[in-house]
Amino acid sequence: MTDQQQRKVVLSISGVNKTFGGLQALTDINLKIEEGMTHAIIGPNGAGKSTLLNTCIGRITPDSGHIQFEGKDLVAGFTPHAINQLGISRVFQTPEIFPELSILYNVMIPAFARRDGSFKFNPFRSLRKEKEIEDEAMSLLEDFGMADERHHHAGSLARGNKRRLELAMCLIQHPKLLLLDEPTAGMARHDTNRTIELLKKIKLRGMTKVIIEHDMHVVFSLADRISVLAQGAIIAEGAPNEIKGHPKVREAYLGSAVL
Amino acid sequence: MQTIIASTRTKDMALTALFAVIVVTAPIWGKLIGAGYPDLLQKFAIFGLFAIGYNILFGLTGYLSFGHAAFLGIGSYTTVWSFKLLTMNAIPAVFFSVLLAGIFAAAIGFLSLRRSGIYFSILTLAFAQMAYNLAYSVLTPITNGETGLRVLRDDPRVIDAALGIQSEGSPLGDFFGLTLTGYNGFYFCALMLILGFYVSLKIFRSPFGMKLVAIKANQTRMEYTGFNPRPYLLSAFVISGMYAGLAGSLMALVDPLAGAERMQWTASGEVVLMTILGGVGTLFGPILGAAIIKYFENIFSAFNEQVLHRIFEFLPDWLADIMVLLTNPFVGEGWHLTLGALFMVVIIFVPGGVIEGFRRLARWSTRFDAEAAERRKAEAEEKAKARAARQAADEGGAK
Ligand SMILES: Nc1ncnc2c1ncn2[C@@H]1O[C@H](COP(=O)(O)OP(=O)(O)OP(=O)(O)O)[C@@H](O)[C@H]1O
Ligand SMILES: [Mg+2]
């Protein structure tokens, strides 16, 4: 990555707090995600990483603070589907797919959302006429090596493949911001590497990404910047090699993952 | 179970044609099973429509409504009022019934769909019971309460009066000169059923239908994928309400009379049973379920001890007596027992419904069929060829 001085800030999180009952899940989070960057968020289990992503997609409303996406404040009354329509897609920590539908349809449905918006009433249109979207879904599935299984139920996939499918479902939307919650968890090494290659390819196209990951191999292969979250607060932020040697980070990770 | 498929146009047309043939020839094959009389065949068609529509809500989105009988009742009342005020012609009656049922469905759906799961079901049940009780009490001027609403000779019927059409005897539903009783009534219902089936088929083959199924599969994913589930669910609710309104209208068309009991929760429950028995979310299942239940209701409720004695005549007397004793509770008034037993057998052994049972039978019978194996092999080859062609096309595109 070339270090341009002023990159556009796509997502700006400022002063976000969230408590669950007595638990302070997020404490005064400030984070700026710049255009085209892959920003990794790491931290031990229960640090609040997923919670932070949840506040960005409208799943959780923060107690205080602002989250701005391209200048729009997401906290002020954007529903999840409206947030997606702004251009934010998310891969969840536990795969969220349509298990009863075929793999192909799983990928086609998000493409409809991109093309038709949050609601379109077309009960008399035939699916046969949706050749364009089908072709796009097929070419994506080829990239993912899943084209031959396109008619299988998505629910029959192994966990790692469900995750890959979910990634394909997000990519077909061409989001401006892609949020990935542990995209390689539960994958075999081979698939992890394939996913890394794929994410690198997307990066070349300039898609902005936030990625939560425990696998440091994945983090250091992809991230331009890393934020470290521990007990709900950001304890360090910087370029990958700055984070590697950071004393606070070592302390937070003591006894859990190895850097 | 894959509900939504992008079938070919020819296949869909063939399917509709096949369905139309089955429906239109019902008076013939109905005779073979002792159902060859218009009263029962009309019921097949009317409840078939009710179930097809209900399946668009319950089968596709998974939202279980316990209040669809309310729309059935609204359809019936509207039709009788159209008969009283406008004309005995079926067209305005059907039109206004479907329209009004749709409007009520929009209102009730709008409120009920604020909740999902069991709370949604309870809300719909509450609304339907409210409608039922209103029809019996406050709304008596409109519904004629317990007596039921009927068409009278001296009703205004402004359109008929303007056209100088007068009916002799008690007024009957009519379709440009055809009196809609007996087989005429059946064929009118049959026409509506075929239309209703075709519309349902179109929905099953549309991106809209696909999204309804996706809501059932994972509503959370739908929301975070950029869809607003609420208007989708409301559309499905209104469509199914309109089908119910049409069914209610047809009931009153073939027998110009409307009573509040049509709106009772047992009627709402019946359509749920029909859909589940036949096969939730399948194209044909709900119609089959409706036909089976109406058939049982008519055939088994007509049995009595004498009929049973005749059936078991071939057995020695003492055994025949025991058989009659055992089976007697299941017929006549007790036909619900037969239905309950059938329902339990289906749910326990083929939870996908009767349609699923047929599918399993078909699969089972072809398993050792050498021909089928041949066909599969050919299919696999075809697939491999298609894959190669696709790859070639892709490479071509890349250049
Ligand atoms: N909806 C909720 N209600 C109550 N507590 C919650 C909720 N969501 C998260 N928490 C709590 O907030 C804390 C942070 O959870 P979160 O899922 O964000 O952690 P995480 O960093 O993603 O962890 P992991 O690496 O295990 O996924 C945890 O203690 C969790 O139990
Ligand atoms: Mg998490």
Side-chain angles (χ1 to χ4, degrees):
Chain A
M1 272 288 129
T2 53
D3 251 315
Q4 274 173 289
Q5 280 306 305
Q6 280 293 308
R7 277 175 174 275
K8 199 175 121 197
V9 173
V10 176
L11 186 77
S12 153
I13 301 173
S14 49
V16 163
N17 286 286
K18 181 73 198 177
T19 55
F20 292 118
L23 179 83
Q24 181 85 26
L26 295 175
T27 315
D28 191 30
I29 303 288
N30 293 288
L31 200 61
K32 288 200 182 341
I33 312 291
E34 294 174 341
E35 189 168 39
M37 300 289 251
T38 300
H39 196 122
I41 298 176
I42 62 172
N45 288 111
K49 305 180 296 293
S50 297
T51 305
L52 182 60
L53 286 201
N54 283 340
T55 60
C56 299
I57 56 161
R59 196 173 219 191
I60 286 175
T61 316
D63 300 334
S64 61
H66 294 283
I67 299 171
Q68 291 202 315
F69 176 70
E70 297 190 321
K72 295 181 197 75
D73 197 339
L74 301 184
V75 180
F78 272 92
T79 51
H81 59 86
I83 290 176
N84 174 280
Q85 291 288 346
L86 291 177
I88 304 181
S89 292
R90 154 119 188 235
V91 172
F92 287 86
Q93 189 165 355
T94 39
E96 295 277 1
I97 55 170
F98 306 114
E100 288 89 352
L101 289 167
S102 72
I103 291 171
L104 175 63
Y105 287 175
N106 266 266
V107 182
M108 283 172 73
I109 287 169
F112 286 129
R114 184 198 67 206
R115 191 193 66 188
D116 298 336
S118 60
F119 176 63
K120 180 154 178 119
F121 185 68
N122 53 357
F124 295 113
R125 188 180 168 84
S126 171
L127 274 172
R128 287 188 293 272
K129 299 227 172 79
E130 305 292 4
K131 203 78 197 109
E132 227 169 274
I133 280 183
E134 190 183 331
D135 289 345
E136 193 182 350
M138 274 315 294
S139 78
L140 201 58
L141 284 175
E142 304 266 4
D143 287 350
F144 276 75
M146 295 170 122
D148 290 340
E149 295 105 78
R150 64 187 177 283
H151 292 310
H152 295 192
H153 286 185
S156 67
L157 287 171
R159 202 174 134 87
N161 281 337
K162 282 186 182 148
R163 212 174 273 288
R164 272 151 39 79
L165 173 63
E166 200 186 6
L167 180 58
M169 291 163 73
C170 288
L171 290 181
I172 203 166
Q173 295 199 304
H174 305 301
K176 293 173 190 159
L177 175 63
L178 179 61
L179 308 176
L180 303 151
D181 201 340
E182 303 190 20
T184 66
M187 271 186 204
R189 184 87 272 177
H190 166 73
D191 282 334
T192 301
N193 288 338
R194 254 170 45 176
T195 308
I196 293 175
E197 288 316 309
L198 218 105
L199 289 172
K200 276 185 180 160
K201 226 161 81 183
I202 302 162
K203 189 164 152 181
L204 293 179
R205 283 189 237 144
M207 192 184 289
T208 315
K209 293 196 294 291
V210 175
I211 176 166
I212 293 176
E213 192 49 82
H214 282 296
D215 186 335
M216 289 307 142
H217 169 61
V218 178
V219 172
F220 288 108
S221 324
L222 290 170
D224 301 309
R225 275 192 92 71
I226 300 176
S227 296
V228 186
L229 207 61
Q231 289 173 354
I234 293 181
I235 55 166
E237 193 187 325
N241 40 16
E242 291 169 351
I243 295 298
K244 242 178 201 162
H246 205 292
K248 267 197 190 165
V249 179
R250 287 180 173 276
E251 191 186 317
Y253 263 100
L254 216 64
S256 66
V258 184
L259 277 182
Chain B
M1 171 195 64
Q2 176 103 32
T3 308
I4 301 293
I5 49 166
S7 167
T8 64
R9 193 184 181 81
T10 346
K11 248 193 206 161
D12 282 355
M13 286 327 245
L15 214 57
T16 313
L18 176 73
F19 181 72
V21 168
I22 293 174
V23 171
V24 171
T25 57
I28 300 166
W29 57 256
K31 282 222 173 65
L32 301 178
I33 56 168
Y37 51 101
D39 258 21
L40 182 55
L41 292 177
Q42 282 166 8
K43 276 190 191 156
F44 285 179
I46 291 171
F47 283 92
L49 265 171
F50 191 18
I52 295 178
Y54 187 75
N55 186 47
I56 289 170
L57 178 70
F58 179 46
L60 296 187
T61 73
Y63 274 64
L64 177 63
S65 161
F66 270 122
H68 265 53
F71 309 123
L72 199 75
I74 289 166
S76 284
Y77 283 124
T78 311
T79 288
V80 175
W81 273 111
S82 169
F83 281 170
K84 287 169 91 66
L85 298 178
L86 302 174
T87 164
M88 291 309 291
N89 191 303
I91 300 299
V94 166
F95 175 78
F96 286 116
S97 298
V98 172
L99 182 73
L100 215 67
I103 291 170
F104 274 88
I108 292 178
F110 180 79
L111 293 170
S112 305
L113 286 168
R114 324 213 116 235
R115 292 283 169 272
S116 59
I118 187 74
Y119 300 103
F120 166 80
S121 305
I122 299 285
L123 277 173
T124 53
L125 177 63
F127 278 117
Q129 282 305 90
M130 244 156 69
Y132 168 68
N133 284 306
L134 282 176
Y136 258 134
S137 55
V138 191
L139 294 179
T140 303
I142 300 174
T143 61
N144 206 18
E146 274 180 64
T147 334
L149 191 66
R150 26 182 93 248
V151 183
L152 305 172
R153 278 206 66 161
D154 47 0
D155 284 327
R157 268 189 285 288
V158 288
I159 296 179
D160 283 359
L163 295 176
I165 300 170
Q166 266 196 346
S167 49
E168 308 123 37
S170 63
L172 293 167
D174 126 309
F175 184 64
F176 304 109
L178 280 179
T179 305
L180 295 179
T181 49
Y183 275 114
N184 284 348
F186 164 71
Y187 279 112
F188 188 79
C189 295
L191 182 71
M192 292 294 151
L193 178 64
I194 293 163
L195 273 175
F197 174 81
Y198 183 68
V199 169
S200 152
L201 179 77
K202 290 298 275 184
I203 292 176
F204 269 63
R205 304 280 192 255
S206 72
F208 173 76
M210 186 202 248
K211 286 178 245 171
L212 295 182
V213 176
I215 288 175
K216 177 180 177 178
N218 188 345
Q219 188 161 345
T220 310
R221 189 15 110 193
M222 276 310 259
E223 284 175 53
Y224 294 104
T225 297
F227 291 106
N228 185 358
R230 198 69 74 68
Y232 282 103
L233 291 166
L234 188 58
S235 311
F237 195 92
V238 171
I239 292 171
S240 68
M242 289 164 86
Y243 269 90
L246 174 60
S249 170
L250 294 178
M251 282 181 186
L253 273 179
V254 296
D255 180 15
L257 167 81
E261 75 288 341
R262 234 163 248 183
M263 301 172 116
Q264 216 179 356
W265 67 272
T266 46
S268 295
E270 198 179 25
V271 76
V272 182
L273 293 190
M274 288 169 174
T275 312
I276 294 176
L277 182 69
V280 184
T282 61
L283 264 173
F284 287 103
I287 308 164
L288 201 60
I292 292 173
I293 288 185
K294 285 297 144 189
Y295 181 71
F296 271 52
E297 180 184 281
N298 276 263
I299 303 301
F300 285 94
S301 67
F303 279 21
N304 54 26
E305 253 187 88
Q306 283 166 348
V307 178
L308 287 177
H309 271 296
R310 230 177 298 136
I311 291 175
F312 294 116
E313 232 170 25
F314 65 95
L315 295 170
D317 271 0
W318 62 274
L319 193 55
D321 285 347
I322 292 174
M323 289 308 288
V324 170
L325 202 70
L326 284 178
T327 49
N328 199 28
F330 289 89
V331 298
E333 296 269 281
W335 76 272
H336 277 111
L337 271 177
T338 316
L339 180 61
L342 174 73
F343 196 72
M344 278 166 60
V345 168
V346 168
I347 295 296
I348 293 169
F349 296 104
V350 266
V354 177
I355 284 279
E356 171 67 21
F358 283 157
R359 255 187 227 138
R360 277 194 210 171
L361 273 180
R363 229 176 297 150
W364 185 66
S365 68
T366 50
R367 187 176 294 168
F368 303 104
D369 197 338
E371 243 182 65
E374 280 288 323
R375 213 179 310 134
R376 271 199 295 278
K377 209 175 133 195
E379 254 170 35
E381 272 166 18
E382 186 107 340
K383 258 190 205 157
K385 242 186 256 164
R387 200 179 307 148
R390 210 174 49 240
Q391 265 165 5
D394 273 1
E395 274 159 25
K399 279 172 207 161

